[in-house]
Amino acid sequence: MTDPVRLRHFLDGPWPRRAAILADLDGCLISGNTVLPDVSELFDRCADRLWIVSNNSTDTAQTLSDRLTRLGLHLLPDRIVLAGEMTLRSLQAVRPGARLALYAEPPLRALADGLGFVCDRAHPEMVILARDRALCFADIARIAALAHAGVPVTLTNPDPSHPGADGTPQPETGALWAAVAAILPRAKAMSLGKPAPDLLREALRRANATPGAAVFIGDTPETDGAAAAAAGVEFVQLARPGDACVLSLKTGAC
């Protein structure tokens, strides 16, 4: 499917019977603290096969599960795969106790402490850049200096933005990195966030499902769609809140 559709169209189709339903978060399930139309039905019908797969780099699975519960959506933390948390957990498996210059919100900083990483912005072994709303001029200068000195940089995700509560784009990790890259045009940064397939493959592993038995719903073909293609999972693009739905003009299926 190439044209964006409403979640109602997805629910009325064959996809909810798949063995694993993978879903992006912002702009698909919630918008700020607003639960989007028909999402409650998705949770009710597919709760035992639903997995959130998001480039979110602010929350951990636990803090997001708690936040969703307050919105009336119940999903256990082990069914939530987030780019920020997976970045730290994947790193912990290969570089336990590493010294990190970590730029992130409190939930990820607390997770890094719990995993045994050492916060060291003076002499780090690597830089981890997440969506950090407190990032300032001095931080950008420091990250650029570390990258210039050859310290490896990892982004929790490369997204330049995500939709806010009213659909207005909000700065994401990729926008923060763009400020550094403007200073160092040749600087490179790694990321396992979408459009890489790592998050989807982790969800499939937890679900014990093959790519052909799953479906992924998301709102951004450049990231969600590309990640689904790389993982071999069918992609259904959802229209963002406030967006016109292309199919409504063609078939009325929106």
Side-chain angles (χ1 to χ4, degrees):
M1 178 172 297
T2 58
D3 293 326
V5 299
R6 301 296 182 198
L7 183 58
R8 178 77 266 154
H9 180 74
F10 175 87
L11 290 170
D12 289 341
W15 303 283
R17 295 192 292 272
R18 295 287 176 89
I21 294 92
L22 315 183
D24 186 34
L25 180 66
D26 292 306
C28 293
L29 305 181
I30 62 174
S31 184
N33 288 323
T34 300
V35 177
L36 296 177
D38 300 310
V39 168
S40 294
E41 181 179 340
L42 174 70
F43 274 66
D44 290 342
R45 289 176 54 185
C46 306
D48 60 336
R49 290 166 291 115
L50 181 62
W51 305 79
I52 289 178
V53 181
S54 170
N55 270 356
N56 179 306
S57 64
T58 300
D59 289 288
T60 63
Q62 184 64 62
T63 63
L64 179 57
S65 177
D66 293 343
R67 180 154 64 94
L68 291 174
T69 296
R70 292 193 293 271
L71 297 177
L73 303 174
H74 303 286
L75 197 66
L76 293 174
D78 62 2
R79 289 184 172 273
I80 299 174
V81 183
L82 305 178
E85 180 169 13
M86 187 168 169
T87 295
L88 292 177
R89 293 193 182 279
S90 296
L91 180 59
Q92 195 268 346
V94 296
R95 297 289 297 275
R99 300 190 314 277
L100 304 181
L102 174 62
Y103 296 86
E105 295 285 308
L108 281 192
R109 295 203 302 269
L111 176 62
D113 288 342
L115 292 174
F117 291 114
V118 177
C119 181
D120 183 359
R121 293 185 180 181
H123 303 287
E125 297 174 66
M126 59 190 66
V127 175
I128 306 295
L129 178 60
R131 184 173 187 259
D132 184 354
R133 289 172 292 183
L135 199 79
C136 66
F137 183 95
D139 294 328
I140 293 172
R142 181 58 182 157
I143 295 168
L146 291 170
H148 179 69
V151 178
V153 179
T154 294
L155 309 181
T156 53
N157 69 74
D159 292 351
S161 67
H162 72 262
D166 63 354
T168 301
Q170 301 296 310
E172 253 294 350
T173 309
L176 305 181
W177 174 246
V180 177
I183 304 168
L184 300 171
R186 295 185 181 181
K188 303 295 183 183
M190 299 174 55
S191 179
L192 55 70
K194 298 174 291 185
D198 302 62
L199 303 181
L200 277 75
R201 288 173 176 167
E202 174 62 15
L204 292 173
R205 184 191 69 80
R206 296 186 193 182
N208 194 29
T210 62
V215 63
F216 180 45
I217 54 177
D219 63 336
T220 309
E222 295 82 5
T223 53
D224 298 327
V233 176
E234 182 181 359
F235 176 60
V236 174
Q237 183 182 349
L238 297 185
R240 288 181 173 177
D243 285 355
C245 185
V246 175
L247 283 191
S248 65
L249 301 177
K250 295 181 176 179
T251 68
C254 192

